[in-house]
Amino acid sequence: MSRPPLAARAIAVCGAILTLAGCAGIGKPLEAPKITLADIRVQQSTGLETAFILQLRVINPNDIDLDVRAVSLDLEINDQSFASGTSSSPVTIPAYGSNLVEVQAYSSVIHLLKSMIGIHKTGEIAYRVQGKLRTGGNGWLPPLLPFDAAGTFDFSEFTQAGK
């Protein structure tokens, strides 16, 4: 019984690997998770720094679970840098579901004051959260998923009530 030459075996192995890799990529592309700022709580305040707990609502529009291992983010309020933070507490976002992810963030007093200028006039706070979700790397999702979410909180009812 004769064996195929080494070059033929190497080509066959490479072909099999490429075929399997191609099959792994077949299917619909996954959608990025949708993220909103759900809550901000003051955790601790010192003379020059304030620590916050930010809660992000992460919505998974895909048919597979999203295993979030870590989050890093920057928060802007009224177009001013407000806080930066990270979290390394693992959270699973179920397929077609949502979950809250808590992130500890820090802000200097200067950033805090700059971002609050003009709120009493407009009655509105605009926020923007940018960052990255680090996933469990289950093969379907890239290890880092960037996100950029924005929204507003309207406080005009409260500012007019005091007039």
Side-chain angles (χ1 to χ4, degrees):
M1 181 184 232
S2 68
R3 296 177 104 191
L6 183 61
R9 284 186 282 167
I11 290 172
V13 168
C14 287
I17 290 172
L18 289 174
T19 301
L20 290 174
C23 289
I26 294 175
K28 68 175 189 162
L30 296 178
E31 293 182 51
K34 294 170 180 53
I35 296 175
T36 58
L37 184 61
D39 194 17
I40 301 176
R41 293 187 313 264
V42 175
Q43 184 180 34
Q44 179 183 10
S45 186
T46 62
L48 298 175
E49 181 181 71
T50 301
F52 295 92
I53 296 293
L54 306 179
Q55 280 190 331
L56 303 177
R57 169 69 61 189
V58 180
I59 301 169
N60 181 3
N62 299 293
D63 60 359
I64 63 169
D65 290 352
L66 175 62
D67 293 320
V68 176
R69 291 188 348 202
V71 178
S72 62
L73 63 78
D74 292 308
L75 172 63
E76 292 179 1
I77 302 262
N78 294 333
D79 296 322
Q80 298 291 322
S81 178
F82 182 76
S84 296
T86 59
S87 173
S88 61
S89 299
V91 175
T92 297
I93 315 302
Y96 299 115
S98 71
N99 210 341
L100 292 172
V101 176
E102 288 195 348
V103 177
Q104 186 158 14
Y106 301 92
S107 179
S108 74
V109 171
I110 293 169
H111 286 136
L112 209 136
L113 292 174
K114 279 184 177 180
S115 63
M116 295 299 151
I117 292 173
I119 289 176
H120 66 285
K121 293 178 185 173
T122 64
E124 193 172 85
I125 294 177
Y127 73 87
R128 183 175 184 188
V129 182
Q130 294 177 298
K132 294 180 181 123
L133 295 176
R134 181 166 298 279
T135 68
N138 61 8
W140 290 92
L141 294 170
L144 281 177
L145 293 172
F147 63 88
D148 189 345
T152 58
F153 296 109
D154 186 3
F155 292 103
S156 59
E157 296 174 14
F158 301 113
T159 56
Q160 291 172 0
K163 291 182 179 180

